Amino acid sequence: MEQLLLHLRSLGFTEMESKIMVELAAIGQSSGYEVAKRLGVSRSNVYAALQRLTQQGYVRCGDGEPARYSVLAPEELAKMISGRVQASLAFVESEMPRGGSVSTTFYNVEGERNVMDALIRQLNAAEHEIIVDVWREEASLLRSELEQAERRGVRLLWAFDGGNAAGPGLPWPPLMEREEAEGRKFSFVVDRRWCMLGMRGGEGEGAAQAVVTEHRVLVELLLGHFTQEMVLFELEQDMGPELERRYGHRYGSIYRKYIGSDGEDEEERIELEGSGEHSG
């Protein structure tokens, strides 16, 4: 019931109008007095809402005393609402002024629904390429939109983590302990123009937040990060044994030199000095 009322309100009906339509659909033809009694609200508010709904065509008012009201059948109601919404959207698209210039900005999107809606809109509008760097959980949520994009001829490049490891990227440790639970990071770049970088899960499963922008700097950073991850991954797949043979125990130190903690760096320095090796 609450979900139905929420969707009706999102379509422009007031809370009172939404409740009246749901009530009429459940009990059938009824007087305004009976509806007000069942909802436990004032008759004046109910009659005012019924008058608006009748004028708009969503509710029918029968002859007789007292007047009895009935809501349209669900398929009729949906068709009428859809037609009016589409007409309004077409008018807004054609008549909205387009002259003002807008500088490229970064903006935050918070909440599961808002993040997914913003992302799905861009995936559906993609024309050339979509680059995806996500965990499997997020990939499964967007499977339909990504498959549709591929069918349209959009190039799709993937990198995703199954959750059993840190992923192909460098596992940088935090500089200090964090109290909040970690979430799953994700990033998308659409047509090398629009990008979203965010996190989902963590504190309160399903929570989501993201940064969205068309700024060239962040787009290029995400493209470079994706390229680096995939090139390193393929090199390790193809040359892993050779890298281990050539560098030996120092292979792991190449990573630790940049991402290790202070203690690890000191341990590596002592080890290198003891073995007579020197860095250039």
Side-chain angles (χ1 to χ4, degrees):
M1 173 69 76
E2 287 301 319
Q3 284 293 316
L4 177 56
L5 294 174
L6 176 63
H7 282 286
L8 286 170
R9 290 199 298 272
S10 71
L11 289 169
F13 296 101
T14 67
E15 184 174 356
M16 180 63 70
E17 291 168 346
S18 302
K19 289 181 176 179
I20 289 173
M21 288 194 294
V22 173
E23 190 65 28
L24 288 175
I27 65 177
Q29 197 174 51
S30 181
S31 68
Y33 171 78
E34 292 170 336
V35 172
K37 185 176 180 180
R38 290 177 65 91
L39 293 178
V41 296
S42 70
R43 282 179 288 173
S44 60
N45 289 340
V46 168
Y47 279 114
L50 282 169
Q51 184 177 11
R52 291 193 301 270
L53 291 169
T54 301
Q55 291 173 346
Q56 294 168 352
Y58 299 118
V59 167
R60 296 191 178 103
C61 179
D63 295 332
E65 185 64 35
R68 299 184 69 79
Y69 300 87
S70 60
V71 69
L72 297 180
E75 56 273 13
E76 291 182 272
L77 186 64
K79 187 174 182 180
M80 179 179 287
I81 294 172
S82 177
R84 291 179 178 180
V85 169
Q86 292 300 322
S88 295
L89 290 175
F91 184 84
V92 169
E93 184 177 358
S94 64
E95 300 299 324
M96 182 67 75
R98 303 173 185 270
S101 60
V102 179
S103 59
T104 303
T105 58
F106 297 81
Y107 63 92
N108 296 325
V109 182
E110 295 187 359
E112 180 80 4
R113 180 176 178 181
N114 293 333
V115 169
M116 295 301 291
D117 284 351
L119 185 52
I120 288 172
R121 283 196 300 271
Q122 291 298 323
L123 295 181
N124 289 338
E127 297 179 354
H128 308 290
E129 180 185 78
I130 299 173
I131 293 177
V132 185
D133 192 349
V134 295
W135 287 53
R136 290 184 186 273
E137 288 86 342
E138 283 62 49
S140 64
L141 292 175
L142 298 162
R143 179 176 178 177
S144 175
E145 287 75 19
L146 294 171
E147 287 179 344
Q148 290 176 21
E150 279 195 304
R151 287 195 290 270
R152 296 197 309 270
V154 176
R155 183 189 186 206
L156 188 60
L157 299 176
W158 287 86
F160 58 84
D161 184 6
N164 298 321
L170 300 179
W172 289 77
L175 293 177
M176 61 190 70
E177 291 298 324
R178 299 177 182 175
E179 296 182 358
E180 72 274 12
E182 294 290 344
R184 298 185 298 274
K185 293 174 292 208
F186 61 85
S187 66
F188 291 81
V189 181
V190 177
D191 290 336
R192 302 187 186 182
R193 173 188 58 81
W194 179 96
C195 68
M196 175 184 282
L197 174 65
M199 182 171 288
R200 182 173 178 271
E203 198 72 41
E205 183 63 26
Q209 54 184 345
V211 174
V212 176
T213 188
E214 294 186 14
H215 200 288
R216 182 176 177 181
V217 170
L218 187 54
V219 171
E220 290 183 352
L221 282 173
L222 290 179
L223 289 172
H225 172 73
F226 178 85
T227 302
Q228 175 183 320
E229 279 197 337
M230 300 315 297
V231 168
L232 287 174
F233 176 76
E234 290 202 21
L235 285 174
E236 289 189 346
Q237 293 295 304
D238 291 344
M239 302 177 61
E242 173 63 20
L243 292 173
E244 290 286 354
R245 185 193 66 78
R246 181 170 179 179
Y247 290 98
H249 72 280
R250 292 196 62 242
Y251 179 54
S253 72
I254 297 175
Y255 280 125
R256 289 197 301 273
K257 181 168 61 174
Y258 298 104
I259 67 174
S261 67
D262 291 341
E264 288 174 334
D265 288 342
E266 180 65 18
E267 179 181 342
E268 179 63 23
R269 185 180 66 81
I270 294 172
E271 179 182 345
L272 290 177
E273 288 178 354
S275 62
E277 297 183 37
H278 302 279
S279 56

